[in-house]
Amino acid sequence: MMNEPIMIDLHCHSNVSDGALSPTDVVKLAATNGCTMLALTDHDHTGGIAEAREEAMWRGIKLISGVEISVTWNGCTIHIVGLNFDEHDGSLQKLLAQIRAGRIERMRQMSDKLAKQGITGAFDGAMALAAANPEMVSRTHLAEFLLNEGHVRTKQQAFNKYLGEGKSAYVRHQWADLGEAVAAIRGAGGVAVIAHPMRYDLSATGRRRLIEAFKAAGGVAMEVHSGSSKPNDCLQYSLLAQRYDLQASCGSDFHRLHDYSGGILGRCPTLPAFCEPVWRHF
Ligand code: AMP
Ligand code: MN
Ligand code: MN
Ligand code: MN
């Protein structure tokens, strides 16, 4: 059936990174929504996988190990999802720890920029919101602080006004190298996926170069649907994946209920029949 959703979600977050729910509660909600295969893909951290796997076992969900790695490529922040790897792999864990290391200092710098604009208490506020895992404090937490304190009316506005690239409280950050991230995922036995390609501010040429660099590094798949993608994106990105001989992945990018991205945790729209699903061999 064409428009029936598939009960697969290979991209979502828990409070181990910038999601609101514990790994257990993420799995519970996915199960409620009918999910049969789920990957928890916290930013730069695999600490929630064991808990999610335990809960998934009781719920009859196939839990795939996952992570969403922050990468700087050509000056742009790109997210690379790793799927179906050994989360105990030493080289992968070393890379993830390196990526996480600068987050608290970066939060201090962003908060200083906000203080200069008259917004005080941002550092303590964001750290309090990231209490479940302070080392993973992120712009999401800072946006939530700005919203809670009435400085903005929506989180989206926090990004548009203060936190987005080039905005008044933005701090440039050097994440992992693209080749390093893909190699670490592959070295741990997993597959590398370009996350939400529709979200990057790249020209058609830039997008092509990214895909070529990603493939040259050993990447094999691309998300053709993400919770934040628009209705026409899925076909467009499925065709792009086909043209570059990339497998197709999909995920809600769920962070919390009633969030800016409209994805329902645990399910995705049916992909075009010509797609080669990345999960076929999971
Ligand atoms: P960071 O890793 O600290 O740079 O934070 C990036 C996170 O901010 C992403 O993973 C998203 O969850 C969130 N984010 C990015 N852009 C937006 C946006 N425009 N609106 C709401 N959340 C966003
Ligand atoms: Mn996030
Ligand atoms: Mn992302
Ligand atoms: Mn994500």
Side-chain angles (χ1 to χ4, degrees):
M1 293 255 273
M2 264 311 276
N3 294 319
E4 293 249 316
I6 48 174
M7 300 306 178
I8 293 174
D9 189 342
L10 300 177
H11 186 151
C12 65
H13 298 270
S14 75
N15 62 5
V16 166
S17 63
D18 59 349
L21 306 180
S22 69
T24 299
D25 286 344
V26 168
V27 174
K28 280 185 182 166
L29 181 57
T32 303
N33 290 343
C35 183
T36 57
M37 187 190 288
L38 182 73
L40 179 66
T41 56
D42 276 308
H43 298 287
D44 310 321
H45 211 303
T46 60
I49 296 174
E51 184 186 316
R53 185 178 289 127
E54 170 79 15
E55 185 64 27
M57 198 178 75
W58 296 110
R59 305 258 163 196
I61 290 180
K62 187 170 172 90
L63 196 285
I64 306 296
S65 57
V67 68
E68 181 175 16
I69 302 185
S70 312
V71 159
T72 302
W73 172 80
N74 236 355
C76 306
T77 298
I78 302 291
H79 287 172
I80 300 294
V81 161
L83 296 173
N84 205 29
F85 51 83
D86 170 15
E87 74 258 33
H88 304 295
D89 180 85
S91 301
L92 175 65
Q93 288 305 334
K94 192 169 157 215
L95 176 68
L96 296 179
Q98 274 169 16
I99 304 170
R100 293 194 296 265
R103 278 190 175 268
I104 291 179
E105 175 54 29
R106 168 182 179 246
M107 186 54 58
R108 221 176 262 290
Q109 290 173 16
M110 287 193 285
S111 302
D112 287 349
K113 285 193 156 188
L114 286 170
K116 290 204 178 93
Q117 297 168 68
I119 296 174
T120 55
F123 181 78
D124 290 345
M127 292 308 293
L129 291 165
N133 191 7
E135 69 166 338
M136 279 308 298
V137 69
S138 77
R139 285 185 292 162
T140 309
H141 301 107
L142 198 46
E144 202 173 340
F145 163 81
L146 290 169
L147 178 66
N148 293 349
E149 295 297 306
H151 298 292
V152 291
R153 274 177 287 114
T154 62
K155 275 197 211 163
Q156 188 60 53
Q157 198 179 39
F159 279 88
N160 293 344
K161 202 168 168 192
Y162 299 109
L163 308 179
E165 204 162 326
K167 304 300 177 188
S168 62
Y170 183 72
V171 172
R172 187 161 291 287
H173 195 77
Q174 188 70 30
W175 302 110
D177 174 75
L178 176 65
E180 243 178 8
V182 174
I185 293 165
R186 295 182 77 205
V191 294
V193 184
I194 299 177
H196 44 62
M198 52 298 281
R199 268 195 17 207
Y200 309 125
D201 189 18
L202 292 172
S203 65
T205 309
R207 194 152 301 173
R208 203 164 56 233
R209 291 212 179 105
L210 169 64
I211 293 175
E212 281 161 4
F214 172 72
K215 285 200 70 165
V220 296
M222 180 163 79
E223 289 180 356
V224 300
H225 166 80
S226 173
S228 58
S229 58
K230 294 190 264 323
N232 290 333
D233 286 344
C234 187
L235 181 58
Q236 185 191 332
Y237 284 90
S238 296
L239 288 166
L240 192 63
Q242 184 189 42
R243 187 178 328 145
Y244 283 93
D245 199 20
L246 288 170
Q247 294 168 30
S249 186
C250 64
S252 62
D253 204 3
F254 175 88
H255 285 73
R256 57 187 39 74
L257 287 166
H258 316 298
D259 206 10
Y260 73 105
S261 77
I264 297 175
L265 176 65
R267 55 173 87 158
C268 287
T270 304
L271 305 189
F274 61 80
C275 286
E276 172 71 22
V278 70
W279 60 87
R280 187 157 286 166
H281 305 294
F282 289 174

